[in-house]
Amino acid sequence: PVSVQQATVCAEYGDGAVTRGEVEVDAGQSSGRFVHHIWLEPPVAIHPAGIPERERLGEFITRHGVNMAWLTAGLFHQIVDAGAPGYGAMRQIMSGGDVLSPAHVRRAAELIPAVRLMNGYGPTETTVFACTRALHGDEPGPLPVGGPIPGASVYVLDPWLGPVPVGVPGELLFDGNGV
């Protein structure tokens, strides 16, 4: 069994990005993302079962007044490729689960200029996200996974569990909220 604390889920969305009265949509297939709906108190629009078609998802978002979404990287890329129809009123999109394309993030920033784009990273053991980073569309090259969510720590370690210098590859160790 997995125990999830409300503070952990709220921390994943960062500095007060979620407030009462917002409507969130989760078009993913993972039950791990469902924890957001349990703990976040705003109304939640749950897409019907099945794989969402990007055009239908935009219609669903508009119809239900959704202004916040968690999208897998693949679905985010497809939505941006389609011109992000129905996403004009979106306040925040968090994406992760795979590497985000800098070109798609740039295009999303052009298509939906008022949206707060977030890159989320974390293994399953960290309740979906352990690191987040706001993206602005002007980031060159590979997009960073960001820093730890509030109440969490992330360490980059060598094979002997010693810290590595900044910029040196290593293994990630997570501690704190969500682990």
Side-chain angles (χ1 to χ4, degrees), residues 4 7 12 33-34 36 45 48-49 53 57 72 75 80 85 94 99 104 109 121 138-139 142 146 148 155 172-173:
V4 179
E12 291 177 357
R33 289 188 294 269
F34 189 74
H36 296 111
E53 299 174 26
L57 188 56
T72 64
L75 183 56
V80 171
M94 183 172 275
V99 177
H104 285 88
Y121 172 79
D138 57 358
E139 295 85 1
Y155 305 94
L172 295 178
L173 174 75

Side-chain angles (χ1 to χ4, degrees), residues 26-30 46-54 56-57 75:
D26 185 348
Q29 302 296 314
S30 167
I46 300 176
H47 191 272
I51 298 172
E53 299 174 26
R54 60 184 180 218
R56 300 276 188 270
L57 188 56
L75 183 56

Side-chain angles (χ1 to χ4, degrees), residues 24-175:
E24 175 189 13
V25 65
D26 185 348
Q29 302 296 314
S30 167
S31 61
R33 289 188 294 269
F34 189 74
V35 297
H36 296 111
H37 308 314
I38 296 170
W39 290 115
L40 299 175
E41 296 183 30
V44 175
I46 300 176
H47 191 272
I51 298 172
E53 299 174 26
R54 60 184 180 218
E55 295 83 10
R56 300 276 188 270
L57 188 56
E59 294 168 7
F60 178 86
I61 284 170
T62 300
R63 183 172 57 252
H64 293 284
V66 173
N67 52 26
M68 187 174 105
W70 193 113
L71 304 171
T72 64
L75 183 56
F76 172 76
H77 294 155
Q78 289 181 26
I79 288 166
V80 171
D81 286 342
Y87 288 77
M90 194 67 64
R91 286 189 53 224
Q92 177 167 300
I93 296 175
M94 183 172 275
S95 188
D98 203 345
V99 177
L100 289 176
S101 153
H104 285 88
V105 170
R106 271 191 298 282
R107 182 71 177 132
E110 294 168 2
L111 292 169
I112 324 164
V115 75
R116 181 180 187 199
L117 296 170
M118 300 288 294
N119 188 13
Y121 172 79
T124 301
E125 296 81 6
T126 61
T127 317
V128 187
F129 298 128
C131 300
T132 59
R133 177 170 174 128
L135 302 172
H136 306 287
D138 57 358
E139 295 85 1
L143 299 172
V145 296
I149 62 172
S153 298
V154 179
Y155 305 94
V156 183
L157 306 176
D158 64 24
W160 301 274
L161 302 181
V164 300
V166 173
V168 174
E171 296 293 322
L172 295 178
L173 174 75
F174 299 97
D175 183 29

